[in-house]
Amino acid sequence: MYAQEVKSTGKGVLSLEEMDPVERAFQEKVNAGVKIEPKDWMPEGYRKTLIRQISQHAHSEIVGQLPEGNWITRAPTLERKAILIAKVQDEAGHGLYLYCAAETLGVSRDQMTEQLLSGKAKYSSIFNYPTLTWADIGAIGWLVDGAAIMNQVPLQRCSFGPYSRAMIRVCKEESFHQRQGYDIMMKLCAGTLDQKAMAQDALDRWWWPSLMMFGPSDAQSVHSAQSLAWKIKQDTNDELRQKFVDQTVPQAKYLGLSVPDPDLKWNEEKGGHDFGEVDWEEFFQVVSGNGPCNADRMAARRKAWSDGEWFRDALMAHAEKHSADKVAAE
Ligand code: BYC
């Protein structure tokens, strides 16, 4: 039975026998690892799930420019400033590839923007925390981009072609982002006592929000079972969170920093770390708009949209004039 072939809790997922023939053929294609392309038949739920996830992913890239953009004018050296500008520009590029991938599913960029600005569409919880010191830029690269890579590497194998191809390019750039963040942390940790304390403070503040990036626990995840069945996701939220902890703890040790979790310890039997419970109350508060920076982030995006109105109007006027000239010349 199909539901036994995937790592799903089975919540609401139909077995092959329960599907109608068209849907069954689609699922068999997915099971065989054939990519689904925009013009192929797909269940409406698959299309909607992808639009939701890809557009939220795109919004995260765009909103994610704000916390780091906050430090461009205050980067400690010209070199660090140039690197940070390049990184923030990369995030804009990621947003654009992802909006294009979502557009192939029949939603327009304007519709997606409207959903973000009206608060209907989510973006990653992590970008609702403030960047208080330069060490936060190191912590974001190291932890936030590190968590993003952990989540996005499997998305390169997503069943939907345009999303999977966008992820291949995004992942290459994210590796550079992660390394530049870790490089900042290494410099700070090899610096003065104050610099090392700044690095520890950043780790203390970004650790738990980074673990929240992987989404609610498997028991609370609404979409995981179906997304695993459709091979949109390859791993559950908890599986990726565990991998991230196991990868990151030795990196913190190398820096000489301590992870702010008294329950963290190596579990020989499972071959991974045990770690404390994420504060899910905080997660759901942030996701529902009540995090420390939600209002600021949304205000910045709304301002950018309204400031850009004259430019969008000018582009439209130019395009209309151009096509009228063309018609007149025919
Ligand atoms: N924050 O059923 P679940 C970057 C929502 S940007 C907010 O587990 P799913 C970077 C979820 O949407 C990289 N909301 O959902 C950029 C759902 O709500 P709706 C960002 C969250 O989709 C700039 C509900 O909770 N990466 O790297 O199966 C600078 C139930 O969750 C969060 C992506 O976007 C969250 N953390 O799994 C630096 C990755 N978690 O939609 C760096 C793509 C969950 O029903 N997305 N929710 O209203 C995914 O892989 C999946 O969507 C998730 C959630 C793992 C996030």
Side-chain angles (χ1 to χ4, degrees):
M1 201 165 97
Y2 163 70
Q4 289 165 348
E5 290 171 20
V6 293
K7 289 183 286 180
S8 89
T9 52
K11 278 187 282 185
V13 180
L14 292 184
S15 68
L16 278 180
E17 293 77 12
E18 289 166 313
M19 292 175 188
D20 67 44
V22 187
E23 200 166 335
R24 190 180 312 135
F26 170 85
Q27 187 64 58
E28 281 169 347
K29 206 167 147 185
V30 167
N31 292 353
V34 179
K35 292 276 179 246
I36 306 300
E37 297 299 336
K39 289 189 175 161
D40 295 343
W41 185 87
M42 60 185 80
E44 193 50 23
Y46 178 84
R47 198 180 70 84
K48 284 196 175 137
T49 298
L50 281 167
I51 291 177
R52 177 185 63 79
Q53 180 167 325
I54 303 173
S55 66
Q56 293 186 5
H57 194 162
H59 299 325
S60 304
E61 301 283 357
I62 298 300
V63 177
Q65 294 177 98
L66 298 169
E68 290 176 287
N70 184 32
W71 277 88
I72 289 175
T73 55
R74 291 176 287 165
T77 66
L78 182 60
E79 195 190 6
R80 290 287 183 201
K81 188 196 285 267
I83 294 170
L84 185 57
I85 291 172
K87 180 191 190 287
V88 172
Q89 276 179 343
D90 283 352
E91 310 300 359
H94 298 174
L96 298 186
Y97 316 147
L98 287 161
Y99 283 128
C100 290
E103 278 177 322
T104 68
L105 291 156
V107 62
S108 73
R109 174 95 176 261
D110 280 357
Q111 283 170 310
M112 289 184 272
T113 304
E114 196 279 321
Q115 286 170 354
L116 172 68
L117 300 185
S118 69
K120 189 166 170 246
K122 294 188 169 71
Y123 58 89
S124 182
S125 50
I126 192 77
F127 303 117
N128 293 307
Y129 291 86
T131 40
L132 304 178
T133 72
W134 173 250
D136 289 14
I137 302 306
I140 290 182
W142 171 35
L143 301 173
V144 175
D145 288 278
I149 295 171
M150 193 57 81
N151 167 277
Q152 288 170 179
V153 164
L155 288 175
Q156 295 177 110
R157 287 180 283 118
C158 167
S159 57
F160 185 58
Y163 193 25
S164 102
R165 290 188 287 274
M167 281 299 107
I168 293 170
R169 177 145 180 203
V170 168
C171 282
K172 285 190 183 134
E173 293 173 353
E174 298 289 20
S175 306
F176 151 67
H177 297 171
Q178 201 267 352
R179 287 206 296 268
Q180 69 85 37
Y182 197 67
D183 185 63
I184 293 174
M185 296 304 274
M186 283 206 296
K187 283 274 170 351
L188 290 173
C189 290
T192 63
L193 285 178
D194 281 350
Q195 285 171 322
K196 187 149 185 199
M198 203 160 88
Q200 180 65 56
D201 169 62
L203 172 57
D204 291 347
R205 284 180 292 105
W206 289 91
W207 175 254
W208 291 106
S210 298
L211 297 195
M212 293 175 194
M213 285 177 74
F214 296 96
S217 69
D218 292 351
Q220 286 193 293
S221 170
V222 190
H223 305 291
S224 281
Q226 186 60 72
S227 289
L228 286 162
W230 280 329
K231 296 193 192 292
I232 292 172
K233 287 166 84 162
Q234 317 284 331
D235 307 272
T236 72
N237 300 353
D238 286 337
E239 284 168 348
L240 290 175
R241 195 169 4 253
Q242 178 72 52
K243 280 193 193 173
F244 174 74
V245 170
D246 292 339
Q247 174 185 280
T248 312
V249 168
Q251 296 170 349
K253 210 168 168 190
Y254 182 79
L255 292 170
L257 298 178
S258 51
V259 173
D261 178 357
D263 297 323
L264 182 75
K265 62 172 184 310
W266 177 254
N267 179 330
E268 191 61 47
E269 215 171 291
K270 87 171 177 189
H273 292 84
D274 290 333
F275 54 97
E277 185 71 7
V278 171
D279 182 345
W280 293 117
E281 171 59 25
E282 176 180 324
F283 170 76
F284 287 113
Q285 280 296 327
V286 174
V287 168
S288 51
N290 303 318
C293 297
N294 295 62
D296 284 359
R297 302 297 183 232
M298 290 311 295
R301 288 316 306 154
R302 288 196 188 101
K303 180 172 183 314
W305 183 248
S306 84
D307 287 354
E309 191 174 0
W310 70 270
F311 189 67
R312 292 191 301 278
D313 289 349
L315 284 178
M316 286 305 290
H318 179 74
E320 276 160 22
K321 183 171 174 293
H322 215 66
S323 65
D325 289 350
K326 234 170 141 184
V327 171
E330 280 166 7

